[in-house]
Amino acid sequence: MDRRSFIKAAAATAVAPAIVPSSVFARPAPSDILQFGCIGVGRQGQGDMQELIYRGLEVGARVTAVCDADSHRLQDAQWLAEKIYTLETVKDAAGTVAAYRDFRELLARKDLDGVLIVTPDFWHAAHAVAAAEAGKDIYLEKPLTYSIAEGKALVAAVRRSKRVLQVGSQQRSSIHFLMACELARNGRVGKLHTIRAWLPEDQGAGDPRPTPVPPNLDYDAWMGPTAAAPFAEDRVHPQTSYERPGWLQIEPYCLGMITGWGSHMIDIAQWGHGSELTGPVSVEATAEFPDRGLFDVHTKFKAEAVYADGVRLIMETGDPAGVRFEGDRGWVFVQRGAIKASDPEILKWKPGQGGVKLEQSGNHMKNFLEAVRARRDPIAPVEVGHRSNSICVMTHIAMKLGRKLAWDPKAETFTGDDEANRRLDYPHRAPWKV
């Protein structure tokens, strides 16, 4: 694609911020600028990179390096970042965005304060642990990790290195989700007994026929810790567009919508329940795994987890995606951009009005950058992302085993079930052990 076609494609498929006049930003002194690298600059990665660039203009942060295993996407991201800085008249930034094929070379730079990681799910842990050990603060796209064992290792690495990590669970920075969680936490629906979460359904089929590896892709680096497999375009990402990549529907790379969207909605369920640093004590699930060629993640599913206090968490495919908190006096339902309740009186509540007051963030990326400045936890810290994602992974394990599983949230293991515990991690291809 030429650069003009790329910009059109990026605008259509990526989550990009609105372009605002440079005059609204108070530019920090160059010596006070935080420097960031971006690891993974594909479909979602370029949208997140733009958000980092524009919020960085407000907070005093700059993208100075990009990295990707696909040289076409790498060159596009490098060009885009430099073009934005040129258009925003940041004269000292023009032409200063370095490009790397190997993330280790980017992490070796001593001048980088942090990294934005937007790579396939199976790479999250290896990239983020390496970043923490290199002394970099981290904005990590959701889901936090592919496995529960990886999540535990990442929590330990972040705390050991005293790094700031923000999980890309941006619904925490939405006023509607904040309001729903405060309503539930403050008893506006009465005594909470059920939380329901609806997720989208994956569709379509993938072509498994092997084809030659394109010269722009370092395919071995892309596969990373997963088992080697023949190249097929549907296994990785489209080579001539920025449409949704096929790896999102292939189980060795992603667990499907239960983690893809579940990490968003279950995070809100945990927030509204007040169980962000723990989890349920049991889970059971049923799911459909139809023959869809290369695509093998679940389609329709239904699951139920139960907390120690008796609150039920019911998860299933459905439209619209959202979360409903149900109590003995009513319910409140929240989705992206909207909130409603069984009784309008329930909504006559303002965040922070009294009782339980949750942290309020107007912008997820800006919240991260401000946390880096202040050396504090952001609104979606590593432990919170790990616990929310753990429920999603536990549910997937229950789908595959087809039976009810008992979970010990303190030990983070299944009780009396060796087969389920063996699924807490997966074999990592050398040298990508976590």
Side-chain angles (χ1 to χ4, degrees):
M1 304 174 73
D2 59 31
R3 299 298 188 264
R4 186 180 301 274
S5 299
F6 158 69
I7 289 295
K8 291 180 180 178
T13 61
V15 183
I19 294 179
V20 294
S22 302
S23 58
V24 307
F25 301 125
R27 306 285 191 201
S31 61
D32 195 35
I33 297 290
L34 297 169
Q35 296 192 53
F36 283 83
C38 300
I39 302 174
V41 285
R43 173 177 174 266
Q44 183 68 33
Q46 288 180 18
D48 284 359
M49 181 190 74
Q50 291 180 69
E51 179 72 359
L52 174 57
I53 289 172
Y54 280 99
R55 301 293 73 79
L57 292 173
E58 300 175 59
V59 178
R62 188 164 301 158
V63 171
T64 57
V66 290
C67 176
D68 202 281
D70 186 325
S71 62
H72 286 173
R73 294 180 170 214
L74 180 63
Q75 292 162 9
D76 286 344
Q78 181 186 36
W79 177 87
L80 177 60
E82 292 178 353
K83 179 62 68 175
I84 292 174
Y85 285 128
T86 300
L87 292 173
E88 290 296 330
T89 66
V90 184
K91 296 179 181 179
D92 60 327
T96 60
V97 179
Y100 299 91
R101 296 293 295 276
D102 190 327
F103 75 95
R104 292 168 294 189
E105 295 179 9
L106 182 149
L107 291 179
R109 284 183 48 165
K110 302 299 184 184
D111 60 334
L112 291 182
D113 299 286
V115 290
L116 167 65
I117 299 174
V118 193
T119 49
D121 298 3
F122 63 89
W123 257 119
H124 284 188
H127 282 153
V129 168
E133 291 177 345
K136 315 302 183 191
D137 295 316
I138 304 160
Y139 185 106
L140 178 61
E141 258 301 344
K142 58 78 205 168
L144 186 79
T145 56
Y146 182 89
S147 75
I148 292 176
E150 287 179 328
K152 292 172 67 175
L154 180 53
V155 170
V158 168
R159 292 311 177 193
R160 183 171 60 246
S161 59
K162 296 181 171 57
R163 295 298 91 199
V164 173
L165 186 147
Q166 174 88 301
V167 186
S169 304
Q170 76 271 15
Q171 290 177 171
R172 281 186 172 246
S173 294
S174 159
I175 191 65
H176 295 105
F177 288 97
L178 169 68
M179 184 175 182
C181 291
E182 283 204 354
L183 290 170
R185 294 277 287 268
N186 285 285
R188 296 286 289 178
V189 296
K191 182 176 175 55
L192 186 67
H193 56 72
T194 305
I195 308 169
R196 300 181 187 272
W198 289 272
L199 313 179
E201 179 185 348
D202 268 319
Q203 298 178 348
D207 186 348
R209 290 174 295 182
T211 56
V213 177
N216 53 287
L217 179 66
D218 185 340
Y219 183 50
D220 186 71
W222 184 89
M223 289 186 291
T226 64
F231 174 81
E233 186 169 311
D234 281 354
R235 184 182 297 280
V236 186
H237 54 250
Q239 292 296 300
T240 58
S241 75
Y242 281 80
E243 295 174 350
R244 191 171 189 251
W247 65 260
L248 283 167
Q249 297 200 57
I250 302 174
E251 200 166 284
Y253 312 134
C254 173
L255 301 181
M257 285 296 184
I258 187 58
T259 53
W261 270 76
S263 57
H264 283 304
M265 298 306 173
I266 304 310
D267 180 58
I268 296 304
Q270 290 267 94
W271 203 20
H273 181 232
S275 52
E276 301 162 275
L277 298 179
T278 182
V281 296
S282 70
V283 62
E284 55 188 318
T286 58
E288 296 179 9
F289 292 90
D291 183 0
R292 299 190 295 132
L294 194 58
F295 297 165
D296 60 355
V297 298
H298 69 89
T299 52
K300 289 184 172 64
F301 86 99
K302 186 165 185 178
E304 179 175 329
V306 179
Y307 290 93
D309 63 359
V311 172
R312 301 160 64 221
L313 171 59
I314 299 173
M315 303 160 276
E316 60 186 313
T317 46
D319 185 33
V323 179
R324 188 166 76 189
F325 297 100
E326 301 176 357
D328 58 8
R329 297 206 310 268
W331 55 261
V332 58
F333 173 78
V334 61
Q335 65 185 101
R336 292 186 177 181
I339 185 171
K340 59 183 179 181
S342 55
D343 183 343
E345 289 295 316
I346 293 174
L347 300 180
K348 291 181 179 180
W349 171 272
K350 295 180 180 179
Q353 191 173 35
V356 176
K357 182 178 180 181
L358 301 176
E359 181 180 354
Q360 186 168 352
S361 160
N363 180 277
H364 210 59
M365 187 67 73
K366 188 174 181 180
N367 175 269
F368 164 64
L369 294 174
E370 291 173 340
V372 169
R373 285 271 184 210
R375 307 312 304 164
R376 61 169 175 81
D377 273 340
I379 196 169
V382 64
E383 291 92 349
V384 168
H386 169 58
R387 290 294 187 163
S388 297
N389 185 55
S390 292
I391 297 176
C392 302
V393 178
M394 289 160 49
T395 302
H396 181 263
I397 294 172
M399 289 180 190
K400 303 298 286 190
L401 295 180
R403 61 173 181 268
K404 187 174 183 178
L405 303 173
W407 178 253
D408 182 339
K410 185 175 182 180
E412 296 189 73
T413 57
F414 293 103
T415 303
D417 198 321
D418 293 339
E419 185 179 9
N421 283 325
R422 282 194 291 270
R423 294 173 179 259
L424 294 175
D425 204 3
Y426 70 98
H428 291 62
R429 189 166 64 113
W432 308 116
K433 303 292 183 182
V434 177

